Amino acid sequence: MPKKKLIAAEDLYELQFVEDPQLSPDGKHIAFVKMSLDKLTNKYKRSIWLTDLSTATPTTRQFTFGSKPDTSPRWSPDGKTLAFVSARNDKPQIFLIALDGGEARALTSMPNGATNPVWSSDGKRIAFNSRANAEERKREDSGKDDAPPSNELEAKHRTEIKEDEEKKKTDPRIITKLPYRTGTEYLDDRYTHIYVMDVPQNGEKVKPSRLTDGDYNFGEIAWTKKGDAIISTQSHDPDYSPWEHTALIRLPVAAKRKPYHYITARGHDYFNPKVSPNGKWIASLRVIDQGSFGHTAHLALMPSTGAGAVDLTLNLDRSVEAYQWSADSKWLYFQAGDQGDTGIYRIGVNGGVPEKVVSGHRVVLSFSVDDDRSLAFVACTPERPVDLYLSKGKSEKRLTDFNKILLAEREVAKTVEVRYKARDGREIQGWYLKPIHFKKNRKYPMVVSMHGGPHVMWSPSTPSMWIEWQLHAARGYAVFYCNPRGADGYGDEFSTTIQNGWGEEPMHDILTGADRIVEMGFVDTKRMALTGGSYAGYMSAWIVGHDHRFACAWAQRGLYSLMSWYGTTDIPQLVEREFELMQFDDVKKAWRHSPLAYVREIKTPLAIEHQDQDYRCPVSDAEQLYTSLKRLRKTVVFYRYPREGHEMSRSGEPHHRVDRLNRMMAWFDKYCKK
């Protein structure tokens, strides 16, 4: 057989991913999104594919062929039609396509686009989200439509005038609310609202009606069984804190818009509501709205009136990430992370101990349930990137193998679990990879890789890190990573214990794990590198400011000064709840917990990677760290990526993602290779 190649950063262009699996109600088909990277256009391709389960051997084929990405496939209750979102007509709109084929037809033509289609239980209506400002909402309410342009030239002029008006809105930009920017963009004067429209039966033109109003965002949609209301979410204090103190609300679906009302009280943040198929229950995820952001998110259940919510998953002590109702309304299926793996569980409406129905050393990313309780799910394992699976009872089948050729031609390093005691006796779980072509009695460089959050869980199956860790191993490095205290997946106490202490104890958890790998005898302690992003960017700077064992470090999109980060991030409440302060009320405490405070102690050559449009961890923190190190004549380099935000390493421009991996390896090689 031909010799296998080593993984390279450019292999990212070859990887293909599966997203958003949706089982048809009768269980005969799975619609899902296939995603790939396009090297030529430097963009992502997404199309809807269909797996036919009605035969003994399931077959999979591409179902939509739009030139723009097609996403969010959603089955009609009778399983005969798919609604999906596509920007094939410029702005994203909702399209309908029959299961038996034919051309997709546009359902919506909203001036600012439409997303998140949700069918009513009788299949006669669809609710969706669209953005609109006060002026546009006033025009909608008037019932008057602009006369269509008389010719192509007039249509062009209207577009140019509208574009000019949009530019003038930000010259100057008037800011009156928080947050005022997020992702990679400043927020404009438009807000997300909920619309409802009838599904046309004979091609007639149908006009949607808007259920919500005001300068507030309404994103979540769950129809009641009767179709007389929609359950959504809204903050108890939307003008001051739109992302906090979120409650469930009931929106009447009426001929004339009626005000919504809250159906849950303060004390918890509620999100992702779903009404049971029989209409008796409302389920929701909820988490305590005070204290550390690491508190466990539980699956809550309440009567359809909304009163008397109870947490069903207290016995599990793990955060629920997503869930679905069974068709008979007796069971709730949900996914949750546990000690490096994410499986699927189910629990009855009467509570009890959750039953694990999909297990294994992997991360389930999303799933759906059909009327017969079959599960279609997308998962990643340590050995292979994302695939589509079908589970029914004790039977399970992998349905896709889009990366078969790449995996057959590449060497893939094996991942090994390690558990060890922290300095206070707490057990920490980690993993390591040996270099490809590992030989005994030889010393290798090692990369210590850290996760952000801080309240997330890493796994050897984390899809966004698969190629990065395999690349390190392919280039001759051992790799070590772990879930230090503060991580999700180990219970509420483990996650919240770092409140008022992001640095010291998590640092020792990580370094103790690195020492454990060194004790195995194959790591050269003079050739170790350190890296991590976001909170782990914080930890990268914190560690090199307190410990000098690493030959080099690469800090990614980090926050380095709580003093400045509080006033520039889109989530200042993270500081308020994690450190129990507003930074100006206790300057000494905020500074003591800032990596920048220890900049004079940094002796490790440091590469700082940041993105110019990162509004979660703004680039100003990286600028301060770089300038301070440069003025202190330390070894430092600053990589700034234009047009990118906090998610660049996971979903940024493909060229940037590949470039980042290659530059990281070059930095490590400079200091860690003989």
Side-chain angles (χ1 to χ4, degrees):
M1 295 182 65
K3 186 177 180 180
K4 290 187 175 182
K5 299 178 182 178
L6 297 177
I7 290 233
E10 287 71 19
D11 288 334
L12 181 64
Y13 294 122
E14 306 301 320
L15 288 174
Q16 300 180 68
F17 300 86
V18 180
E19 302 172 337
D20 200 3
Q22 298 292 321
L23 262 168
S24 61
D26 61 7
K28 294 182 179 180
H29 295 88
I30 304 173
F32 64 90
V33 176
K34 180 185 175 187
M35 187 272 280
S36 60
L37 291 77
D38 190 336
K39 183 177 181 180
L40 182 63
T41 64
N42 195 29
K43 295 180 180 179
Y44 295 85
K45 291 182 176 180
R46 283 181 168 88
S47 55
I48 295 171
W49 286 57
L50 209 61
T51 297
D52 188 345
L53 303 173
S54 61
T55 58
T57 304
T59 57
T60 299
R61 62 185 175 92
Q62 188 171 347
F63 192 54
T64 67
F65 296 85
S67 58
K68 300 289 181 67
D70 295 334
T71 62
S72 306
R74 297 294 181 265
W75 291 101
S76 60
D78 63 7
K80 295 180 179 180
T81 306
L82 267 179
F84 66 96
V85 176
S86 179
R88 57 184 67 185
N89 293 339
D90 187 26
K91 294 184 182 295
Q93 302 289 350
I94 298 169
F95 288 75
L96 301 178
I97 186 170
L99 176 60
D100 55 9
E103 289 293 325
R105 66 186 192 277
L107 175 69
T108 64
S109 56
M110 302 298 290
N112 297 310
T115 58
N116 189 26
V118 182
W119 294 85
S120 61
S121 61
D122 60 8
K124 295 180 178 180
R125 292 174 292 175
I126 286 181
F128 61 89
N129 293 131
S130 186
R131 289 168 53 76
N133 59 28
E135 182 181 348
E136 291 163 341
R137 297 196 303 271
K138 183 178 180 180
R139 189 181 306 123
E140 287 177 355
D141 291 343
S142 72
K144 297 178 181 178
D145 294 324
D146 293 335
S150 58
N151 53 53
E152 186 177 349
L153 183 60
E154 183 182 351
K156 179 183 177 183
H157 287 333
R158 286 189 185 183
T159 301
E160 291 172 344
I161 290 171
K162 186 174 182 180
E163 290 174 351
D164 184 62
E165 290 173 347
E166 289 295 317
K167 290 179 181 178
K168 289 178 179 178
K169 287 181 181 179
T170 58
D171 187 11
R173 194 185 305 274
I174 302 172
I175 296 168
T176 60
K177 289 190 176 184
L178 276 177
Y180 60 88
R181 59 183 186 178
T182 189
T184 60
E185 298 177 336
Y186 279 79
L187 300 177
D188 59 19
D189 62 347
R190 293 186 174 90
Y191 293 83
T192 301
H193 288 275
I194 297 175
Y195 292 76
V196 170
M197 67 184 301
D198 294 334
V199 177
Q201 301 301 312
N202 300 305
E204 67 272 21
K205 190 173 182 179
V206 179
K207 192 173 183 178
S209 61
R210 179 167 40 82
L211 302 185
T212 54
D213 201 13
D215 288 345
Y216 309 118
N217 289 307
F218 300 85
E220 310 219 44
I221 299 172
W223 284 92
T224 59
K225 172 69 173 177
K226 294 180 180 179
D228 60 339
I230 280 175
I231 308 301
S232 187
T233 56
Q234 186 53 261
S235 171
H236 279 291
D237 194 358
D239 289 308
Y240 175 74
S241 188
W243 290 359
E244 291 184 288
H245 310 298
T246 54
L248 299 188
I249 61 171
R250 186 184 300 274
L251 282 162
V253 178
K256 291 186 177 181
R257 187 181 312 115
K258 293 184 178 181
Y260 65 84
H261 66 273
Y262 294 97
I263 58 175
T264 57
R266 289 178 181 265
H268 291 84
D269 286 324
Y270 291 82
F271 50 101
N272 195 16
K274 295 181 187 295
V275 179
S276 62
N278 65 8
K280 290 179 60 178
W281 306 101
I282 299 173
S284 174
L285 301 183
R286 74 173 186 175
V287 64
I288 297 170
D289 65 2
Q290 299 291 326
S292 170
F293 270 86
H295 281 301
T296 301
H298 287 291
L299 179 57
L301 187 67
M302 63 201 81
S304 58
T305 58
V310 295
D311 289 323
L312 291 180
T313 55
L314 287 174
N315 289 331
L316 185 63
D317 194 22
R318 296 293 185 269
S319 284
V320 177
E321 300 168 6
Y323 71 98
Q324 299 285 338
W325 278 100
S326 64
D328 60 9
S329 301
K330 294 181 179 179
W331 298 91
L332 285 152
Y333 290 78
F334 64 93
Q335 65 187 58
D338 176 37
Q339 302 186 59
D341 299 315
T342 301
I344 301 177
Y345 302 74
R346 73 171 186 172
I347 191 167
V349 294
N350 294 321
V353 178
E355 173 192 359
K356 199 168 190 178
V357 293
V358 171
S359 58
H361 291 307
R362 57 188 169 190
V363 167
V364 173
L365 302 171
S366 56
F367 75 96
S368 67
V369 187
D370 68 6
D371 291 348
D372 196 34
R373 300 182 191 169
S374 294
L375 294 166
F377 63 94
V378 169
C380 183
T381 71
E383 295 78 26
R384 58 188 306 123
V386 185
D387 275 310
L388 175 67
Y389 297 80
L390 179 68
S391 174
K392 187 172 183 179
K394 296 182 179 181
S395 172
E396 180 180 305
K397 182 181 296 185
R398 179 167 53 80
L399 300 176
T400 62
D401 197 3
F402 291 127
N403 296 296
K404 179 179 180 180
I405 296 176
L406 177 68
L407 293 173
E409 296 176 349
R410 299 293 187 273
E411 294 276 5
V412 176
K414 182 182 178 181
T415 303
V416 182
E417 181 187 1
V418 59
R419 291 180 184 259
Y420 56 93
K421 297 293 184 181
R423 66 179 186 175
D424 63 353
R426 185 185 295 270
E427 184 179 78
I428 305 296
Q429 182 185 28
W431 297 267
Y432 67 91
L433 290 76
K434 290 181 178 179
I436 297 293
H437 303 152
F438 173 83
K439 295 180 180 179
K440 293 182 178 180
N441 302 318
R442 182 176 173 182
K443 300 281 188 177
Y444 293 91
M446 180 170 72
V447 175
V448 175
S449 186
M450 302 176 294
H451 71 63
H455 307 295
V456 301
M457 181 191 75
W458 253 5
S459 162
S461 307
T462 301
S464 61
M465 294 303 298
W466 187 87
I467 194 168
E468 186 167 322
W469 292 332
Q470 290 294 335
L471 175 63
H472 296 333
R475 293 287 288 267
Y477 289 79
V479 181
F480 168 71
Y481 54 94
C482 67
N483 284 321
R485 68 193 70 199
D488 193 15
Y490 302 86
D492 191 89
E493 188 276 335
F494 189 94
S495 183
T496 60
T497 190
I498 65 168
Q499 188 179 26
N500 289 305
W502 277 13
E504 188 70 11
E505 292 305 323
M507 174 181 72
H508 286 288
D509 291 349
I510 295 163
L511 296 181
T512 301
D515 289 340
R516 176 69 181 275
I517 306 304
V518 168
E519 291 170 1
M520 296 179 184
F522 55 84
V523 173
D524 185 342
T525 57
K526 294 182 179 180
R527 297 190 291 147
M528 298 196 302
L530 179 72
T531 188
S534 193
Y535 163 70
Y538 171 106
M539 282 304 303
S540 296
W542 182 276
I543 288 175
V544 297
H546 291 77
D547 186 276
H548 303 136
R549 74 184 67 189
F550 292 96
C552 65
W554 180 284
Q556 310 168 38
R557 62 189 186 280
L559 59 145
Y560 307 113
S561 170
L562 296 183
M563 299 291 296
S564 58
W565 188 74
Y566 176 83
T568 56
T569 181
D570 61 346
I571 50 169
Q573 58 268 37
L574 186 64
V575 174
E576 296 171 9
R577 290 174 57 175
E578 289 291 319
F579 293 95
E580 298 180 291
L581 58 81
M582 290 183 172
Q583 99 287 9
F584 41 76
D585 289 327
D586 194 339
V587 173
K588 289 183 179 179
K589 180 179 179 180
W591 185 240
R592 187 170 69 250
H593 289 284
S594 298
L596 190 61
Y598 310 95
V599 68
R600 286 189 178 274
E601 302 304 316
I602 294 177
K603 298 178 174 61
T604 306
L606 181 64
I608 302 169
E609 171 211 319
H610 221 99
Q611 291 68 39
D612 278 350
Q613 291 176 250
D614 185 344
Y615 298 142
R616 177 58 46 89
C617 292
V619 72
S620 56
D621 265 39
E623 291 169 336
Q624 292 177 77
L625 181 60
Y626 172 75
T627 298
S628 300
L629 288 169
K630 201 66 179 174
R631 293 301 296 169
L632 290 170
R633 300 181 185 274
K634 303 297 181 73
T635 302
V636 63
V637 63
F638 189 8
Y639 296 105
R640 296 181 63 145
Y641 286 90
R643 303 180 301 280
E644 297 286 8
H646 202 64
E647 298 298 311
M648 188 194 82
S649 66
R650 296 178 279 256
S651 58
E653 294 178 19
H655 293 351
H656 280 163
R657 294 176 65 186
V658 172
D659 180 84
R660 167 188 167 274
L661 290 171
N662 281 325
R663 290 186 188 277
M664 182 190 297
M665 290 311 313
W667 182 256
F668 292 168
D669 287 350
K670 181 178 180 179
Y671 294 97
C672 297
K673 286 291 184 73
K674 291 182 179 179

